[in-house]
């Protein structure tokens, strides 16, 4: 979870102004905010996430402590496979995370019908992963999403334009969930070599093979 620090600063002679920091990880922001509080010259310190939710330092500390017992340090691999002859797509995602001091992996796949392109299948696979995160209770965290689709990764990073209405619709659905549960996404483009697990899950989904699982690593 990335946040910025906002606060007012008062000089010994009473001159006052306001400051806002760059976005930093919540843990680092807490350390900086605590140091500012100790100075005795900063007041009205709040931590603000990308959705403009505001947290006091005490509220953020409580949130960070609660996260330890919930899924965190999350990285998601996703992939979509498309069959042009049928319009069916196999979706796959592998979610790696920490919880209660242990490492876990959750796999999920799905078969969907009546899609139009491989790019739509890739977006649908990411949407499947995002739905899984919500079911897992992941919230108010920075999550890394890794995939081999240049279209999906670069469009969601804002580096490529998206002219297709159907892909924009998928992006809107995904970002709506992010806003609802407080996910700050980071996108990572990987080669197919490093996305083989999600690719296999997508193929299994397309073939109707049940591979849903959660295991401790």
């Amino acid at each position: 979870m990335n946040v910025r620090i906002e606060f007012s600063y008062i000089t010994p002679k009473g001159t006052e102004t306001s400051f806002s920091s760059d976005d930093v990880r919540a843990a680092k922001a807490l350390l900086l905010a605590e140091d500012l509080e100790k100075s005795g010259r900063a007041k009205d310190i709040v931590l603000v996430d990308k959705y403009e939710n505001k947290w006091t330092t005490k509220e953020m500390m409580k949130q960070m402590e609660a996260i330890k017992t919930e899924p965190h340090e999350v990285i998601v691999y996703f992939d979509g496979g498309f069959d042009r002859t049928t319009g069916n797509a196999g979706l796959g995602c592998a979610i790696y995370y920490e919880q209660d001091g242990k490492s876990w992996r959750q796999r999920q796949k799905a078969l969907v019908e009546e899609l139009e392109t491989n790019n739509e299948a890739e977006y649908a696979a990411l949407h499947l992963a995002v739905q899984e995160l919500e079911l897992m209770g992941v919230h108010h965290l920075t999550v890394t999403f890794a995939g081999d689709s240049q279209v999906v990764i670069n469009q969601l990073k804002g580096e490529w334009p998206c002219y297709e209405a159907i892909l924009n619709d998928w992006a809107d659905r995904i970002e709506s969930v992010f806003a609802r549960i407080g996910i700050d996404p980071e996108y990572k483009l990987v080669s197919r070599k490093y996305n083989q697990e999600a690719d296999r899950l997508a193929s299994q989904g397309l073939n109707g093979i049940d591979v849903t699982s959660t295991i401790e690593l």
Side-chain angles (χ1 to χ4, degrees):
M1 181 180 183
N2 292 331
V3 297
R4 69 178 186 272
I5 308 169
E6 292 185 351
F7 63 97
S8 298
Y9 185 84
I10 307 174
T11 68
K13 293 185 178 181
T15 301
E16 183 175 347
T17 189
S18 298
F19 289 95
S20 180
S21 76
D22 294 331
D23 287 349
V24 297
R25 293 283 191 177
K28 182 178 180 180
L30 274 174
L31 290 174
L32 293 169
E34 289 171 357
D35 192 63
L36 286 168
E37 288 177 338
K38 290 176 182 177
S39 74
R41 294 180 182 175
K43 68 174 187 177
D44 302 325
I45 300 173
V46 293
L47 308 178
V48 187
D49 66 23
K50 68 177 295 183
Y51 301 108
E52 299 303 313
N53 297 312
K54 295 185 177 181
W55 313 69
T56 65
T57 55
K58 288 183 179 180
E59 289 171 339
M60 183 57 70
M61 288 177 66
K62 185 177 180 179
Q63 171 69 11
M64 295 296 288
E65 189 63 30
I67 283 173
K68 293 180 181 179
T69 62
E70 299 173 350
H72 58 282
E73 300 298 327
V74 183
I75 181 167
V76 177
Y77 293 87
F78 69 94
D79 198 22
F82 181 64
D83 186 339
R84 295 181 183 275
T85 60
T86 64
N88 293 341
L91 317 179
C93 65
I95 303 171
Y96 291 82
Y97 61 98
E98 304 289 320
Q99 186 173 11
D100 294 323
K102 299 178 181 179
S103 299
W104 301 86
R105 182 194 66 201
Q106 179 165 321
R107 290 173 167 177
Q108 184 58 277
K109 60 82 185 173
L111 172 67
V112 294
E113 301 175 346
E114 299 181 355
L115 298 188
E116 297 181 3
T117 65
N118 185 69
N119 288 334
E120 188 182 2
E122 295 280 4
Y123 265 103
L126 178 54
H127 185 255
L128 171 70
V130 171
Q131 289 179 307
E132 286 300 306
L133 293 181
E134 186 169 20
L135 290 173
M136 290 166 58
V138 176
H139 64 98
H140 296 97
L141 291 176
T142 299
V143 175
T144 299
F145 295 91
D148 57 39
S149 169
Q150 293 190 54
V151 170
V152 172
I153 297 297
N154 289 326
Q155 285 182 349
L156 290 177
K157 287 172 70 174
E159 295 179 357
W160 286 9
C162 183
Y163 300 113
E164 298 178 58
I166 195 164
L167 299 187
N168 271 316
D169 286 344
W170 280 106
D172 287 344
R173 291 184 216 174
I174 291 164
E175 290 171 354
S176 176
V177 179
F178 289 159
R180 183 166 64 248
I181 63 179
I183 293 298
D184 182 16
E186 291 183 348
Y187 297 104
K188 181 179 179 181
L189 182 64
V190 297
S191 67
R192 289 192 176 185
K193 176 182 177 181
Y194 292 104
N195 203 36
Q196 291 181 3
E197 183 177 23
D199 177 70
R200 286 195 299 270
L201 290 168
S203 296
Q204 290 168 340
L206 191 58
N207 293 322
I209 301 172
D210 187 4
V211 292
T212 301
S213 66
T214 301
I215 64 169
E216 181 183 349
L217 301 176

